[in-house]
Amino acid sequence: MASASCSLLRLQPGSTGSIYRIEGMNPILRRRLADLGVSEGVMIRLKGKGPFMGPITLECNGQLFAIRRKEASMIEVKVS
Amino acid sequence: MSSIALVGNPNTGKTSLFNTLTSSYEYVGNWAGVTVEKKVGSLKNGAGKLIDLPGIYSLHPLSRDEGVAAQYLIEETPEALINIVDASQLERNLLLTLQLLEYGKPIVLGLNMIDVANARGIQVNPEVLQAQLGITVLPLIARTGKGSSQVLSALEKPANIRPVSFQLDYGELVEEAILSITNKLQQIAGLPNLRWVSLQLMEQNPVVLELLKKRMDTSELMLICDACQTKLQQQKLALTLPQWIRSIRMDHIRSVCAAAIDATKQKPHNLTERLDSILTHRFLGLPLFIVFMYAMFKTTFDWVGGPLSDLVDGFIGGPLSDGANSLLQTIGASGFTHALIVDGIIGGVGGVLVFVPQIFILFLMISFLEDSGYMARVCLLMDSTMERMGLNGKAFIPFIIGFGCNVPAIMAARSIEQPKDRMLTTLLLPLMSCSARLPVYLLFAAVFFPAQQATAVLAMYVMGVVFALILCKLFSKHLFKNESSIFIIELPPYRMPQFKTLGRSTWEKGKGFLRKAGTIILAGSVIIWLMSYAGPSGFNVEMDNSFLAKFGGLIAPLLQPLGFGTWQAGSTLVPGFLAKEVVVSTMNIIYHAPDSAGLEGQIASVFTPLSSVSFMAFILLYIPCLATVGVIKKETASWKWTFFSMGYSLVLAYAVSLVIFQGGRLLGWS
């Protein structure tokens, strides 16, 4: 089965992908994400997008959190 | 006395557990050279002290809060640790647990929120976890207190807690490096577990590095780390040493979790999902938040707080004053004593105590928002607005707390990861109308805008926020160039706050105000009363000839263009710098007002609606109070920034009041 990778932002709200690559992100943010268990190979779900181009809400390992769209665009996911 | 530290990730219920395990409760500030807020309480069974550290994800600090916890573990030696973990988030929580196990102190694992985990279909087996980690695991429901007695008895004798002998194998390359680092560290006394220090060093923990630098030449150690990292890269094992260490830990955690957790029946978080679909809705979220804020202010000032304040006012102006009057007459007190007690103390302190109900209600609602999990959503909603202004949404929480009191708000700014965002938040926080400024607004709103009290007060709050946003844009553009801000926030599941916890945190926040009423406001009132009672010609002079009038008269000309160039207004400003609460009590004394009705009548004759707005704006914006200045100094550790915050606010206050008054006059208002 072919699976394409795309930016996390392209996911439909409510759908899930597995993290393929995280690149170019602010190192502080990268570390904090790692603290939350967000790293390559982990399943991540896009929960919703905030108002006025605000942060997007994500769920990973049962944990809800939010980051800005600009940063979320650096997370590449694979959707099968 | 032994000390036991309570450590865990944010939002795992540490504070609930702390509250159930301890009887007395104290804040300790100013520790190890930095301002630190670690809570210390006495264990109920008398076994020692429990120290509540800020919530952390790992020992590698990003924010100031985390630095506090890391520093504590390195520089002080608690006898034992309680690590509290969220059973529904075990995998993530265990990362910290492993670091604590490597720390080597006796440790008890409090497996909290087993009810939440069960409700979500996650079964954690404490026995298996205990066997896997080699430490005592106690299932808990900290919110209800279930399991806390077991924790207490486990802590009865910290010496009885099983010592930890936990060691992960980090692979040949890293183990070699650890060995050579520990050899070098042996020459330094007073370090905790050397293997732990080595590992923290290899993870580039800045606090550990800082500490070692003070005691030895660390260049050799860094060489060992670099060499090890190069070898890891050559063998294509990992890009960096910290990454490698983390991956080894994660592998171990996964195997522990695979054995101890059954998540086959896991369900989504229904309540949180449903609430979030409304409360963080892209169109509904913000309007709802504004409605909540409006309801909050209405409750504080109109619906509940106002009537309660009237009751207190009635009591102070009526039975208390009358009682004191007749008592003083019966015992034949001198005119001086009589005036001191009735006009100075009851008039001054009483005028401020009137606002206690409103302040406590505001704090109660802020605590509710914090504990329910809604506050994090507010940060989320506000981030795009805040980002446009050059800050991040997380700064919003300190700003909201700032409505209560600027001092804890500036401390709350510690949870912001980036130094630039933290500094900006600290500098701008004084523009949030704290509860001490509230009495001034309430007084003037009652006199000049009786029909729209809540709206008038809200307008002052909004004015502060608007200026904060404008200055934020300005400062972040010109003072902190080239520094971008980041934003990440955890959204805890919604929960109903516990009444007990709410009560306790409301009390913690509000008691500072009461304490001030008993100390600084009391002293201020007495001094101001004395200054109004005495003058160059002796005691019991006409108010207009008193020292206070002379003194206020010096400032008055400066205030003339702002619309309140009277000595009375001038002389409220200086004590107002000591504590803004004193402004109203000063007025009580100056205008000789027995109760708020009397004061309101006096003010109505001295101020006009326009000059009252100008005065309120000045009180809102001018110089943060002394306590706030002190905290700014501590948190920024810089006189330059401290004076900057005082200077810009004074200039801003003058300019804004000038524009309001002169502009209003041009428009024909009075």
Side-chain angles (χ1 to χ4, degrees), chain B residues 15 97 124 185 193 198 208 247 335 382 420 554 568 641 652:
Chain B
T15 307
T97 308
V124 181
L185 291 177
N193 191 319
S198 316
V208 171
S247 70
M382 292 308 295
K420 169 216 163 188
L554 288 178
Q568 287 94 336
W641 286 116
L652 181 70

Side-chain angles (χ1 to χ4, degrees), chain A residues 9-20:
Chain A
L9 277 181
R10 304 269 300 271
L11 286 185
Q12 285 299 311
S15 59
T16 310
S18 79
I19 299 179
Y20 171 63

Side-chain angles (χ1 to χ4, degrees), chain A residues 26 28-29 31-36 47 49 51-52 54-55 57 61-68, chain B residues 60 62 66 89 92 246 273 282 286 380 383-384 387-388 391-392 417 485-491:
Chain A
N26 180 313
I28 295 181
L29 188 65
R31 275 255 340 267
R32 178 57 21 107
L33 284 176
D35 285 340
L36 291 175
K47 302 290 288 187
K49 296 182 176 176
F52 308 114
T57 312
N61 308 319
Q63 168 68 55
L64 279 173
F65 64 96
I67 57 175
R68 286 182 180 153
Chain B
H60 188 134
L62 282 180
E66 293 168 283
Q89 297 281 350
R92 185 195 66 182
R246 184 187 282 271
E273 302 254 307
R282 51 193 311 191
L286 268 179
L380 171 68
D383 183 65
S384 60
E387 190 191 2
R388 255 166 230 137
L391 258 180
N392 85 49
E417 285 92 353
S485 77
I486 58 159
F487 176 74
I488 175 165
I489 193 159
E490 234 191 288
L491 304 173

Side-chain angles (χ1 to χ4, degrees), chain B residues 537-602:
Chain B
S537 55
F539 283 115
N540 204 2
V541 294
E542 278 290 304
M543 185 80 85
D544 286 342
N545 300 322
S546 66
F547 284 122
L548 193 63
K550 300 264 174 276
F551 179 72
L554 288 178
I555 316 179
L558 281 174
L559 302 172
Q560 195 64 49
L562 310 183
F564 43 92
T566 60
W567 69 261
Q568 287 94 336
S571 44
T572 57
L573 295 180
V574 175
F577 165 62
L578 297 179
K580 307 247 156 143
E581 290 90 336
V582 187
V583 172
V584 169
S585 60
T586 307
M587 290 186 162
N588 266 312
I589 294 165
I590 290 177
Y591 295 112
H592 257 303
D595 54 15
S596 45
L599 184 59
E600 284 170 15
Q602 296 267 15

